[in-house]
Amino acid sequence: MEQAIADCIGRDPEQREFHQVVREFLVSIRPVLDRHPEYRRLAVLERLVEPERMILFRVPWMDDQGGVHVNRGYRVEMSSAIGPYKGGLRFHPSVNLSIIKFLAFEQVFKNSLTTLPLGGAKGGADFDPKGRSDTEVMRFCQAFMAELFRHIGEDTDVPAGDIGVGAREIGYLFGMYKKLQNKFTGVLTGKGLDWGGSLIRPESTGYGIIYFAAEMLGRCGETVAGKRWLVSGSGNVAQFTAEKILHLGGRVLTMSDSSGHIYDEEGIDAAKLAFIKELKNVRRGRIREYCDQYPQAVYVPADPVLGWNPLWHYPADCAVPAATQNEITGQDARHLVAGGVRLVCEGANMPSTPEAIAVFREHAVLFGPAKAANAGGVAVSGLEMVQDSMRMSWTREEVDTRLHAIIRAIHRTCLDEAAAYGREGDYVAGANIAGFVKVASAMLDQGLV
Ligand code: NDP
Ligand code: 2IT
């Protein structure tokens, strides 16, 4: 197995984020390989770390002033062992092949955990939608889809949103796909409700994270209610994480964006959260404006050297990182522990560095890894695909009930698989093992393809 990691690094030495995710994963599935020699014999790991297909393409587009820009588009189709490729699109200037590969790799095992038949993929572009007009974003999305359309399809590969890709972008992408293919199908998820979308899809990732956290707390006889929560980010995942914490009686103290964070000791209540949603989703403003409206809150700009704004030093009980990868360092994790945090549930993908995870382990912090805790988003995407293919739609209650049941099942599976390998209560091991076993056994069934 060390050889599999070394080969993976040797092949693409600059792909740091991809190596990080592969290393974390391979270490936890070692006991499975020891019990099942056929996985080694048939090179399951070597196959899993090499994407089935990678598509890189030029995206030329024109801004409102007539200036021409060229971005790079990506789609990494990692595994179709258990279903059509599925996973989001990220538009952010930091996007590169390492980031898309790490996200696609995570997605394979996350999707496996959802209990639905979904393979794993991820895509995006190094385009920065911040500060761009709606028409510029539309032209970018159309240019992006002008190439991507030939690689995707409702039974082949079904993209969705991620950082920088929300309802607006999915609309423009879908419109262009439909025009090019002359087909109205469920080729994307996160669609508008009037044209094939599912109720609860916008809420699903955030709600699912707190359903998962509630299960973890429940095992210790605790609840979300009355606890102080640190949340990072202020996008889709952070907003609905905060909303569900409020529904369940918890107190949200922080939110952030890439420019800084706010700390509101009184708590971000429903009215304040509605302000943040309008600020972020309609006006596309900065989180600092929260303090113009609620001056008792504190705004802390991002550290100019770090380029980042850790908010993990405030006293609290629980934390949900919901912005981006590697946003909790070892030092941040020590601050969390010192501040009294007993539960960390990952909202973003790979938000905790390996050093941070080691600190949580050392201090017996309840730790919910992303591929289990944030699987609610892609799970409801899977439910959107089901509704699209039936040409019907379920009620809000029906989708929410299914989401909740899926999250409970994932939580149970993590614990059961961890226990089966002598790692009681270890959600990281449980999630990795459960996700892996299903994909690996499908690969064996399907032969060397
Ligand atoms: P959004 O684009 O809606 O929001 C992202 C938030 O994180 C914004 O507040 C953004 O601030 C902040 N952020 C992003 N990148 C950085 C950065 N490099 N440094 C500091 N802040 C940053 O994205 P989502 O809420 O959809 O995604 C958040 C995380 O959740 C991502 O890791 C994503 O992969 C993961 N996720 C998303 C799912 C979904 O269904 N959308 C499902 C499962 C996981 P700013 O606006 O200033 O950039
Ligand atoms: O990271 C993720 O799981 C997502 N961005 C959602 C993917 C999806 O297909 O809904």
Side-chain angles (χ1 to χ4, degrees):
M1 190 171 63
E2 284 67 22
Q3 195 54 47
I5 298 177
D7 289 349
C8 175
I9 293 175
R11 187 172 276 183
D12 301 293
E14 73 296 348
Q15 294 180 356
R16 268 187 320 110
E17 292 83 2
F18 182 54
H19 302 154
Q20 182 181 335
V21 83
V22 167
R23 196 176 285 117
E24 182 256 359
F25 178 78
L26 294 190
V27 166
S28 40
I29 59 156
R30 188 193 301 263
V32 187
L33 301 179
D34 293 342
R35 217 178 269 185
H36 294 276
E38 66 275 21
Y39 292 151
R40 282 209 174 90
R41 199 173 62 249
L42 293 165
V44 167
L45 289 185
E46 290 79 351
R47 286 193 268 158
L48 276 172
V49 298
E50 187 61 21
E52 288 181 13
R53 188 177 296 112
M54 289 187 274
I55 301 142
L56 267 67
F57 51 100
R58 179 172 71 191
V59 188
W61 59 281
M62 192 173 276
D63 66 29
D64 289 343
Q65 286 71 45
V68 173
H69 302 260
V70 179
N71 286 95
R72 184 171 290 173
Y74 300 83
R75 187 70 178 166
V76 170
E77 297 179 334
M78 205 74 187
S79 168
S80 59
I82 63 168
Y85 305 110
K86 181 83 194 89
L89 298 172
R90 176 177 291 192
F91 290 169
H92 193 272
S94 65
V95 162
N96 58 36
L97 193 54
S98 174
I99 288 185
I100 298 298
K101 279 177 69 179
F102 113 67
L103 289 163
F105 189 78
E106 275 285 281
Q107 199 80 45
V108 172
F109 307 104
K110 178 195 309 196
N111 293 4
S112 163
L113 286 170
T114 62
T115 71
L116 302 170
L118 302 169
K122 203 85 185 191
D126 57 357
F127 167 71
D128 189 356
K130 261 202 267 338
R132 292 290 173 196
S133 68
D134 284 353
T135 49
E136 288 175 324
V137 169
M138 179 182 77
R139 281 196 295 277
F140 179 81
C141 289
Q142 291 177 339
F144 184 84
M145 189 53 87
E147 174 59 35
L148 187 69
F149 85 100
R150 60 187 103 247
H151 307 288
I152 62 176
E154 71 277 22
D155 294 320
T156 318
D157 184 351
V158 182
D162 194 80
I163 292 176
V165 177
R168 172 182 62 171
E169 290 74 18
I170 293 292
Y172 295 146
L173 290 164
F174 184 81
M176 193 62 178
Y177 180 87
K178 181 165 60 74
K179 184 181 172 76
L180 292 169
Q181 290 287 31
N182 192 26
K183 261 188 3 181
F184 193 113
T185 61
V187 68
L188 292 160
T189 58
K191 300 185 292 302
L193 287 179
D194 296 331
W195 42 278
S198 174
L199 285 159
I200 298 288
R201 178 61 188 89
E203 294 88 340
S204 57
T205 312
Y207 281 16
I209 290 159
I210 298 306
Y211 291 152
F212 196 87
E215 292 296 312
M216 294 171 78
L217 289 167
R219 255 181 79 232
C220 314
E222 305 244 18
T223 60
V224 171
K227 299 224 164 29
R228 297 160 301 165
W229 294 74
L230 304 178
V231 176
S232 67
S234 51
N236 170 267
V237 178
Q239 290 171 18
F240 290 102
T241 293
E243 183 164 292
K244 187 51 75 177
I245 293 171
L246 297 183
H247 287 171
L248 298 181
R251 192 144 64 95
V252 180
L253 301 180
T254 59
M255 286 179 89
S256 68
D257 60 24
S258 55
S259 310
H261 71 255
I262 51 131
Y263 173 72
D264 187 341
E265 198 169 7
E266 288 174 5
I268 300 170
D269 61 17
K272 294 172 180 174
L273 183 59
F275 173 84
I276 291 175
K277 283 187 184 173
E278 203 267 337
L279 171 68
K280 284 292 170 184
N281 308 348
V282 182
R283 287 194 282 133
R284 300 187 187 275
R286 307 309 293 159
I287 199 72
R288 125 177 62 75
E289 295 168 49
Y290 181 91
C291 295
D292 301 338
Q293 186 77 5
Y294 304 106
Q296 85 290 348
V298 180
Y299 174 70
V300 182
D303 183 307
V305 179
L306 268 182
W308 181 240
N309 54 325
L311 47 80
W312 309 118
H313 53 286
Y314 297 106
D317 305 298
C318 305
V320 179
T324 193
Q325 63 276 354
N326 290 329
E327 55 170 312
I328 304 185
T329 63
Q331 181 63 25
D332 295 326
R334 281 187 283 279
H335 284 144
L336 283 166
V337 170
V341 166
R342 306 302 309 144
L343 172 139
V344 174
C345 206
E346 292 190 322
N349 287 306
M350 200 172 78
S352 315
T353 61
E355 296 74 30
I357 297 173
V359 172
F360 298 144
R361 219 181 268 280
E362 184 189 333
H363 293 274
V365 172
L366 274 175
F367 179 68
K371 65 171 73 62
N374 74 26
V378 73
V380 174
S381 279
L383 301 179
E384 182 172 328
M385 290 163 69
V386 173
Q387 294 169 80
D388 285 347
S389 58
M390 294 192 303
R391 300 278 195 272
M392 61 170 291
S393 46
W394 292 325
T395 63
R396 205 180 151 81
E397 291 65 35
E398 197 161 356
V399 181
D400 196 28
T401 304
R402 285 177 192 271
L403 165 65
H404 207 156
I406 288 171
I407 296 291
R408 283 209 187 94
I410 294 175
H411 179 263
R412 186 71 264 151
T413 302
C414 288
L415 290 180
D416 289 350
E417 284 295 331
Y421 285 88
R423 306 281 294 271
E424 276 75 8
D426 183 340
Y427 289 97
V428 174
N432 285 334
I433 293 171
F436 170 70
V437 167
K438 187 167 158 190
V439 173
S441 86
M443 288 169 75
L444 294 195
D445 291 346
Q446 293 170 23
L448 198 54
V449 289

